[in-house]
Amino acid sequence: MATIKTYTDLAKIVPCCMGCRTPNDGTVVLAHRNLNGWGLRAGKGIKTIDMLGAFLCSRCHAVGDAMRRRDFQFWELAVHRSITWAFDQGYLVFQKKPAPEDAGQS
């Protein structure tokens, strides 16, 4: 069984590519969009945050990299599918932040 320490590690166990939805053939990685619509600079050597990445097979990763800004919908859908899968599987959880007066109490 794969050891999962980071969001990136989930690529080892995600059941399919979140772009084309084909079964994970071992080429699925957390792909980072080179240019994004969130105003974050990205490109060679500069990556967006992992939560804005998508679990893509090598074919979709290459297609996605070639798209640049032309098809934001491809990335948006793949990122949405990736986050939804991770949340549904329990790898992403929301925790209630303690109220300021409770923060120092044990």
Side-chain angles (χ1 to χ4, degrees):
M1 177 145 218
T3 301
I4 305 303
K5 294 182 181 178
T6 67
Y7 190 65
T8 305
D9 290 339
L10 291 175
K12 299 172 190 171
I13 63 166
V14 69
C16 65
C17 169
M18 297 299 168
C20 63
R21 307 293 276 188
T22 58
N24 188 344
D25 62 358
T27 68
V28 173
V29 297
L30 182 65
H32 296 85
R33 191 161 190 261
N34 290 337
L35 298 171
N36 62 58
W38 292 281
L40 301 174
R41 291 189 57 87
K44 189 171 184 173
I46 304 170
K47 300 295 181 195
T48 59
I49 61 173
D50 287 346
M51 289 303 299
L52 297 181
F55 297 111
L56 299 177
C57 66
S58 57
R59 185 174 89 51
C60 285
H61 193 175
V63 168
D65 280 348
M67 284 180 186
R68 304 288 185 211
R69 284 192 177 271
R70 291 179 299 183
D71 194 355
F72 180 70
Q73 188 176 16
F74 169 83
W75 282 99
E76 188 176 61
L77 181 59
V79 169
H80 173 76
R81 288 175 177 165
S82 298
I83 292 171
T84 300
W85 174 83
F87 183 78
D88 288 348
Q89 297 301 309
Y91 292 106
L92 294 178
V93 295
F94 292 102
Q95 294 181 332
K96 183 178 178 183
K97 191 173 183 177
E101 63 273 4
D102 296 338
Q105 299 176 4
S106 295

